């Protein structure tokens, strides 16, 4: 017959739970008892942390109704955020993008066709005779020809034709700031071509009058389609450069 169980003082009674790590159930502070610090701060949805500070200066507010309410959370430094400050992605997307100026190129093409056509059609027609650009050039081959008409019908008109067309085309290409000078140069060259054409013809017909002792001649006397196409071509090609590249 075994001896009756007699636990030593401080021992455990049958049915008592064992102590783990030296913490017994009787020594753990219960809710609403002295030493329990969470009863006054426990709220719905989480723990109330009114002044909990993390290293680095981040202070969180109270945890209420399923989410943290941040009271004194420092914001990110400005200038590096999306769409804000220099170097942000938004600064690039907000800049307008240039594309080819379709309208300007079409007008430049029309001006080139009109201008070139005028150089090969009749400038003057009278009494069954015709004068084209090349015919006027031939009459100025002799000695005593005035300087401006000889230069214009020799090489200057072709240079002006090429320059105004090139300037009008380049002015409508998406090449950034390089297109701006061409947008100014195209109308200037077009106007210059128009004025030099009229001045060269005026000097030419004045010389003809002096040689022939007068006559029924002049810039627009017996003029034909070729002259008007040439004048219109300089204007159209010059205006084409004003349009410039399109902004997307």
């Amino acid at each position: 017959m075994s001896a009756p169980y007699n636990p030593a003082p401080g021992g455990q009674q049958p049915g008592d739970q064992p102590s783990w790590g030296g913490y017994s159930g009787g020594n753990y502070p219960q809710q609403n008892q002295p030493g329990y610090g969470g009863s006054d701060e426990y709220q719905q949805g989480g723990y109330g942390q009114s002044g909990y500070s993390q290293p680095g200066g981040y202070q969180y507010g109270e945890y209420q109704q399923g989410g943290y309410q941040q009271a004194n959370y420092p914001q990110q430094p400005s200038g590096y955020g999306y769409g804000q400050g220099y170097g942000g992605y938004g600064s690039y997307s907000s800049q307008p993008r240039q594309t080819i100026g379709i309208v300007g190129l079409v007008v430049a093409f029309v001006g080139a066709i009109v201008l070139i056509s005028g150089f090969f059609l009749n400038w003057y027609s009278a009494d069954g005779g015709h004068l084209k650009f090349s015919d006027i050039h031939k009459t100025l081959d002799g000695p005593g020809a005035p300087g401006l008409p000889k230069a214009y019908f020799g090489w200057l008109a072709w240079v002006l034709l090429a320059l105004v067309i090139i300037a009008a085309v380049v002015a409508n290409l998406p090449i950034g700031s390089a297109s701006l000078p061409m947008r100014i140069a195209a109308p200037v060259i077009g106007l210059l071509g128009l004025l030099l054409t009229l001045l060269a013809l005026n000097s030419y017909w004045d010389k003809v009058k002096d040689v022939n002792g007068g006559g029924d001649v002049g810039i627009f006397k017996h003029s034909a389609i070729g002259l008007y196409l040439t004048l219109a071509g300089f204007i159209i090609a010059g205006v084409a450069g004003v349009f410039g590249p399109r902004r997307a």
Side-chain angles (χ1 to χ4, degrees):
M1 183 174 181
S2 62
Y5 180 76
N6 187 15
Q12 295 180 346
Q13 298 290 336
D16 290 343
Q17 295 182 356
S19 299
W20 302 97
Y23 295 97
S24 62
N27 297 327
Y28 190 80
Q30 301 295 326
Q31 187 175 2
N32 297 326
Q33 292 182 2
Y36 182 78
S39 61
D40 294 333
E41 295 181 352
Y42 184 81
Q43 300 177 5
Q44 295 180 0
Y47 294 91
Q49 299 177 355
S50 59
Y52 186 76
S53 299
Q54 296 284 351
Y58 298 94
Q59 183 173 0
Y60 294 85
E62 295 181 353
Y63 179 64
Q64 298 178 354
Q65 298 291 336
Y68 280 101
Q69 182 180 2
Q70 301 178 357
N72 296 320
Y73 190 82
Q75 298 183 359
Q76 294 180 346
S78 60
Y80 297 96
Y82 179 83
Q84 294 181 357
Y86 181 79
Y89 292 103
S91 62
Y92 291 99
S93 61
S94 61
Q95 295 179 357
R97 184 171 58 89
Q98 291 184 345
T99 58
I100 296 177
I102 302 298
V103 176
L105 289 180
V106 171
V107 177
F109 177 77
V110 172
I113 296 299
V114 172
L115 188 55
I116 295 174
S117 299
F119 274 44
F120 292 95
L121 297 176
N122 294 329
W123 283 39
Y124 294 95
S125 299
D127 300 331
H130 304 284
L131 279 177
K132 296 181 180 179
F133 181 92
S134 58
D135 297 328
I136 299 176
H137 166 70
K138 293 176 181 179
T139 62
L140 294 170
D141 286 341
L148 179 58
K150 188 172 184 178
Y152 179 86
F153 290 98
W155 57 270
L156 183 57
W158 294 104
V159 171
L160 292 172
L161 180 149
L163 289 178
V164 72
I165 294 175
I166 293 174
V169 172
V170 175
N172 290 280
L173 298 180
I175 54 178
S177 59
S179 65
L180 181 59
M182 295 296 103
R183 295 177 65 182
I184 300 174
V188 171
I189 298 173
L191 180 59
L192 184 62
L194 174 68
L195 294 177
L196 288 177
T197 302
L198 296 177
L199 290 175
L201 287 175
N202 183 68
S203 179
Y204 174 78
W205 290 116
D206 285 345
K207 184 64 176 180
V208 171
K209 289 179 182 180
D210 294 339
V211 172
N212 297 332
D216 189 19
V217 292
I219 297 177
F220 296 106
K221 198 73 172 183
H222 310 294
S223 56
I225 186 64
L227 172 59
Y228 296 105
L229 288 178
T230 301
L231 298 176
F234 278 119
I235 296 175
I236 296 173
V239 171
V242 178
F243 291 92
R246 185 171 61 90
R247 297 185 179 274

